[in-house]
Amino acid sequence: MYHNGSQHHSQISLDMSDRSRSEGVGEPLTPTWPPPHEASDAGTIVSPISPELEVEGPEDEAATFPDDEGPSHSKSPPRAAKLFKLLGNDAPQHYINKVNADSQPWYLRPNYDQSEILIDPDGGVRAGSKQALIERLTAHETADPTFSKNFMITFKSFMTLDELFELLVQRFWVERPENLTLEELDTWTKQKQVMIRLRVLNTFRTMITDEDVLEKDDMYILDQIKNFASDPEVSNSVAAAKQLVVLIDRVQRAGEAPIRTTNTVPVAPPPPIVPKASKKLKLLDIDPLELARQLTLMEATMYKKIRPIECLTRSREQRTGKSTDNIASIIQLSNRIANWVAESVLSKEDSRKRATVVKHFIAVADRCRLLQNFSTMVAITSGLNTPPIRRLKRTWEQVNQRFMAQLSICESTIDSNKNFNNYRSILASITPPCVPFIGTYLTTLTFINDGAEDKVAGHMINFRKRQKAAEVIQDIKRWQAMPYSFQSVGTILVFLEESFTKYTDGIDYGDQFWHLSLEREPREREDEKMARLLQESGFL
């Protein structure tokens, strides 16, 4: 919209001196940079506006938002250009950005005090005040998509939704500096005010269209955003505000969460292996592969419901036993699967039948591994490795080497040595669909939360900590995007639901299983064991 420097901006309000839209929020009226007579004109950069991103809407109200997928390609000043030419991509980004900023006219530089934000050598934000982070989010010079994404995922950990709205509105009404010439005012309007306003509106648009930002209880904010964007002073100054109203109307008419887009191509599901009709379905009637598929569908459905705010809340509050979120549901299902595995083995009085059940579960766990359903694989493996099951020597002696090898692969996949290094390597090398083991994510989030303070220098938000948490959350989200293409088999799902509902959450069944294990295979002396083995082998 604004590539042409001489373009007439009839929709931009230039006269901002007669009113202040920042009351009570604290935006300085003038930048904290030097006045014109102290600033050097040498090496001034005129940053081109980022490419436009079309927004869906009526043709007669077409508008554009700034493209926040990458930085504007401004011409670097001599010092930055020399450094980039010398070092290439290894040039310190923070230094280049600082040189670029210092080469701008004083009225095009950031408004916040430099002591309000800390930048790492890689150019990432280490910490900052709320106002400085908002200014970084809506920076006029260049877009930072990584920072923006991390901010939108984690902002609820350091500010409320209402605070975000107020700070963005305040940012939209950025005050023009005093004592600008007509030429400087025109430059400030085109290169700073316009871009800030567009990026504020783009942030509101992200809140509306990104399904991970607003929860059900947050939808009240849509009315506030709509009232703001409908203000004639807003809609007349930036045409994109009208498109914001259109998007909000669409969401509110639908009565749902934010607009969601899916790019997944449906894949024809494999034909299910339906068990033979019988009066009552039993575990061994179900093919291990089909049982793995149905368990995978159950786990994937629950995993897809995990929300970023649940990850942040759980890592901060450490209330695992009291949580009722989607993560708790996954943990409860894993515990129920482990209990089901243990009791299914112990329910058989004969050791050969117990061994048959053990082999069946090993086969299911191995199929889950191949289906990349590591959550169920871990649950089944845990059930088989509980002390009441592991001590059943007569049972395990009848599990042949092929099944033991499969179990060993499952166990090594989730080996906790070196912080689950083997599992993390496998996860990094595969493609969706996948149901990961949620435990490693929770451990990492807890480590991030406990390993650093929430604030730096007493008042600045530790954003590097939030960035690390956002990286974990984005990894969790990665596996939510691609669904499994399996057909549901009603009889198997009913069988599983009935099997799992027998176990009450929060109850430890360990003692019950231990006593049953002792009944199935009482402790025996070495001479008794030897006599039994000789008898079973036919020598006696």
Side-chain angles (χ1 to χ4, degrees), residues 388 508-518:
D508 185 2
Y509 293 88
D511 290 342
Q512 175 184 329
F513 293 159
W514 182 259
H515 292 308
L516 187 55
S517 176
L518 291 176

Side-chain angles (χ1 to χ4, degrees), residues 387-405:
I389 304 302
R390 264 303 179 193
R391 66 167 297 277
L392 299 174
K393 295 182 180 179
R394 276 179 276 175
T395 301
W396 287 100
E397 286 168 357
Q398 298 176 70
V399 179
N400 60 38
Q401 188 58 40
R402 178 170 68 89
F403 286 98
M404 294 304 295

Side-chain angles (χ1 to χ4, degrees), residues 27-33 106 111 175-178:
E27 175 97 25
L29 296 181
T30 56
T32 56
W33 297 93
W106 68 273
N111 292 64
E175 298 287 349
R176 73 175 186 183
E178 297 179 355

